[in-house]
Amino acid sequence: MAQKPNIPKGTRDFSPSEIAKRDYIFGVIKKHFKTFGFQPIETPSFENSETLMGKYGDEGDRLIFKILNSGDFLSKVDEDTYGAKDSKTLTQKISEKALRYDLTVPFARYVVMHQNEIDFPFKRYQIQPVWRADRPQKGRFREFYQCDADVVGSDSLLQEVELIQLYDAVFSDLKMEGVTIKLNNRKILAGIAEVIGAGHLLVDFTVALDKLDKIGVEGVQKEMLAKGISETAIAKAAPLFELSGDNTEQLNSLKELLADSEEGSKGVEELEFIIDAIANLELKSAALKIDVTLARGLNYYTGAIFEVGAPKGVKMGSIGGGGRYDDLTGIFGLKNVSGVGISFGLDRIYLVLEELGLFPETLDRSLDVLCINFGDKEAMTALTLVTQLRNRGVSSDVYPSKAKMQKQMKYANNRKVPYVILIGENEMDTKTFVVKEMASGEQRTFALSDIDGFVKTL
RNA sequence: GUGGUUGUAGCUCAGCUGGUUAGAGCGCUGGAUUGUGGUUCCAGAGGUCGCCGGUUCGAACCCGGUCUUCCACCCCA
């Protein structure tokens, strides 16, 4: 009995028209990565487990796809470990490799391993799939592409400024107008926690704050209280919930609030530098906005934090994110190398472009010219013509069999071929070919010797 | 990991409180039309009703399990 074919949940097949659209996005992103001076690298799909485990927090560890060891792996497990039935301990014994969870940690590993051949500052880009053992839902897959650009070996804030410009350049080029680049700084979050006297609960504090737009002021306060943050501390943080106005006004409020915190003031200073620089340079279509509730990737970010929100009206999680991490390569033994990077979520960008109808129409043109097949003799002449068209870079084909005209025309139609060429008996006699423009239905006749005359009209 | 949701022809979906041979539109194939498609007309093919088990005289429909889809939470691109 034939088995019903299927694919694992959270994975997808990509058909020709989808590939065309994905390639279009990849192309735009890659183009701008290059013009900003980034160089490509690639790393393996799977890494040694110890490279990945513990880098993304407990939640992250759970979402890492583990690869079972080869061979008779269970026989090597001692009775105690096996009998304890503790998944975490057992997993370490039977799985030593895991699928890449993001591109940043493998990149950090790469930098440390190749530090002697790298010229710092090193600007690298990387476009590869990553895997997460997550439950799929809107815009979330178990296999998806990330497009990362990171700079290591420079602590200059100019890098942050450039990365914001890079976001703007890519989304403007994709005609996705109205994206919001949200900006925050880890130092500000730490400063606030310090000022209100909840420094030891920084993570809980920021995680709760991050949910402000989702559960509201009261919800956030409730969660903070539940996490053990005192009422007086929450009361002190009250001005945060009322931050409003443009970036300058928010900066002024933050300056005041964080005046007594050295770290917090440093964060405000950094934020101000970036905001001022971008104000001078001007963005094409994106909006840069301070958002103190932004608290992503707390596990390794130490300075700036970025997140890109889809244009208004599109219900979609963030379509990009990034930030500065001072200590990432430290885990692998290389100290004092600062890095800052951003990521584009290809699959989500795809969904947004689709929803807004922003893909160029020409993308689904996979064949420029199709020659109708009228029989063996005519087909030979057609193939000669097609060969010469191909030599000139025109994608063209001869219908492989002498099917009914209707069928051949229908095929051309479905493939969205803009030009159909007819070479039948009449044309053979007069050494000509007829070109039918499918959109208008108009037909023109060219001499077989005048291929360039036709190519010029394309 | 928690909660909910979905599964019927290649695709999008009907199918009333369980009742005989499970339907439509689109698509596909053939013909009307021997060199003209996207807009006509006629005919035809195509379904273990996700899978396994249970209740019943009888299940696409009810019950249990399982897989899948989509959504929310957690987390995140």
Side-chain angles (χ1 to χ4, degrees):
Chain A
M1 214 211 305
Q3 85 180 71
K4 260 191 188 167
N6 59 16
I7 54 174
K9 72 166 140 185
T11 66
R12 297 147 300 156
D13 284 329
F14 299 114
S15 298
S17 71
E18 291 164 319
I19 293 290
K21 292 175 189 165
R22 290 169 69 87
D23 278 350
Y24 161 71
I25 304 173
F26 282 136
V28 169
I29 292 175
K30 220 185 262 188
K31 181 176 99 191
H32 291 287
F33 279 177
K34 284 181 188 162
T35 57
F36 275 73
F38 289 85
Q39 294 177 282
I41 70 161
E42 288 193 10
T43 62
S45 333
F46 54 96
E47 296 269 350
N48 291 323
S49 296
E50 64 259 31
T51 304
L52 267 29
M53 297 298 284
K55 308 298 190 295
Y56 311 101
D58 288 344
E59 188 66 21
D61 282 357
R62 207 195 81 216
L63 297 176
I64 291 174
F65 271 109
K66 286 97 184 167
I67 298 174
L68 220 44
N69 289 348
S70 314
D72 188 9
F73 51 84
L74 261 190
S75 67
K76 293 171 187 156
V77 179
D78 59 272
E79 285 301 322
D80 289 350
T81 310
Y82 187 70
K85 292 199 171 176
D86 177 58
S87 300
K88 210 176 161 188
T89 324
L90 185 62
T91 302
Q92 288 172 3
K93 304 274 185 189
I94 62 175
S95 162
E96 286 154 6
K97 293 177 283 299
L99 288 178
R100 190 202 288 137
Y101 178 86
D102 72 355
L103 301 178
T104 307
V105 169
F107 174 53
R109 192 225 79 221
Y110 171 95
V111 169
V112 176
M113 281 181 68
H114 298 266
Q115 49 185 292
N116 293 327
E117 25 180 298
I118 293 174
D119 292 315
F120 293 99
F122 179 42
K123 300 174 80 170
R124 87 86 173 77
Y125 78 84
Q126 190 170 354
I127 299 178
Q128 289 190 277
V130 301
W131 294 269
R132 295 189 186 174
D134 207 355
R135 277 228 199 152
Q137 56 180 275
K138 186 168 187 184
R140 313 179 68 158
F141 308 98
R142 303 225 279 190
E143 177 183 60
F144 62 96
Y145 269 79
Q146 287 194 330
C147 313
D148 277 27
D150 291 79
V151 189
V152 287
S154 163
D155 52 16
S156 164
L157 287 172
L158 286 179
Q159 308 297 357
E160 273 86 337
V161 173
E162 282 192 24
L163 289 172
I164 291 167
Q165 288 184 298
L166 177 53
Y167 264 141
D168 179 52
V170 168
F171 288 115
S172 299
D173 202 357
L174 288 172
K175 310 282 181 292
M176 195 197 288
E177 294 184 359
V179 301
T180 309
I181 302 170
K182 289 180 264 184
L183 179 65
N184 195 13
N185 193 301
R186 162 71 179 256
K187 296 187 180 84
I188 289 177
L189 291 169
I192 295 167
E194 182 193 330
V195 165
I196 65 169
H200 56 298
L201 292 167
L202 174 62
V203 173
D204 289 326
F205 172 76
T206 49
V207 166
L209 189 60
D210 191 36
K211 295 178 187 162
L212 184 60
D213 59 339
K214 214 170 212 172
I215 59 179
V217 176
E218 278 176 38
V220 170
Q221 291 175 334
K222 220 169 135 189
E223 179 159 337
M224 286 182 175
L225 209 55
K227 292 288 182 184
I229 297 168
S230 72
E231 282 196 48
T232 45
I234 294 173
K236 273 190 197 166
L240 265 191
F241 305 130
E242 286 144 29
L243 270 189
S244 60
D246 61 22
N247 290 336
T248 316
E249 285 167 19
Q250 292 204 33
L251 275 173
N252 288 334
S253 313
L254 284 171
K255 265 185 206 164
E256 207 173 302
L257 186 68
L258 294 168
D260 294 334
S261 163
E262 197 184 323
E263 191 177 11
S265 300
K266 182 89 193 345
V268 177
E269 210 176 284
E270 290 184 12
L271 209 54
E272 191 166 27
F273 178 87
I274 296 168
I275 295 283
D276 285 349
I278 291 295
N280 281 328
L281 293 163
E282 292 184 356
L283 296 180
K284 292 188 190 108
S285 73
L288 181 65
K289 255 185 139 168
I290 293 176
D291 182 353
V292 288
T293 68
L294 184 62
R296 56 203 323 290
L298 223 55
N299 284 305
Y300 44 75
Y301 292 139
T302 53
I305 304 172
F306 310 112
E307 180 169 293
V308 182
K312 257 199 169 149
V314 182
K315 219 176 150 241
M316 178 65 67
S318 63
I319 55 177
R324 164 139 340 239
Y325 38 90
D326 287 333
D327 312 320
L328 194 72
T329 58
I331 303 165
F332 300 116
L334 181 61
K335 304 282 182 202
N336 300 320
V337 177
S338 184
V340 58
I342 56 171
S343 180
F344 291 81
L346 172 101
D347 300 86
R348 287 187 177 177
I349 292 171
Y350 181 105
L351 291 171
V352 172
L353 290 178
E354 189 81 297
E355 190 169 331
L356 297 176
L358 294 176
F359 282 111
E361 278 178 28
T362 51
L363 285 182
D364 44 40
R365 181 199 288 198
S366 56
L367 190 63
D368 295 326
V369 172
L370 180 76
C371 289
I372 299 293
N373 189 325
F374 284 98
D376 293 346
K377 230 174 118 191
E378 291 88 344
M380 264 332 277
T381 309
L383 192 53
T384 310
L385 174 64
V386 159
T387 304
Q388 295 183 64
L389 285 172
R390 287 172 178 166
N391 288 342
R392 288 163 172 78
V394 178
S395 77
S396 43
D397 225 338
V398 181
Y399 196 86
S401 58
K402 189 199 166 190
K404 288 204 329 190
M405 164 79 68
Q406 209 170 33
K407 187 172 175 165
Q408 299 192 41
M409 293 300 280
K410 200 162 191 175
Y411 177 79
N413 224 30
N414 290 345
R415 285 280 309 265
K416 299 192 163 62
V417 179
Y419 298 98
V420 165
I421 287 181
L422 301 100
I423 303 176
E425 225 177 308
N426 303 342
E427 288 75 20
M428 293 283 281
D429 289 346
T430 54
K431 295 198 178 346
T432 57
F433 61 97
V434 170
V435 176
K436 180 182 175 91
E437 191 184 344
M438 292 299 272
S440 61
E442 278 171 36
Q443 300 194 174
R444 296 179 64 183
T445 305
F446 293 87
L448 272 174
S449 54
D450 185 29
I451 291 172
D452 288 318
F454 162 58
V455 172
K456 260 184 258 162
T457 66
L458 290 177

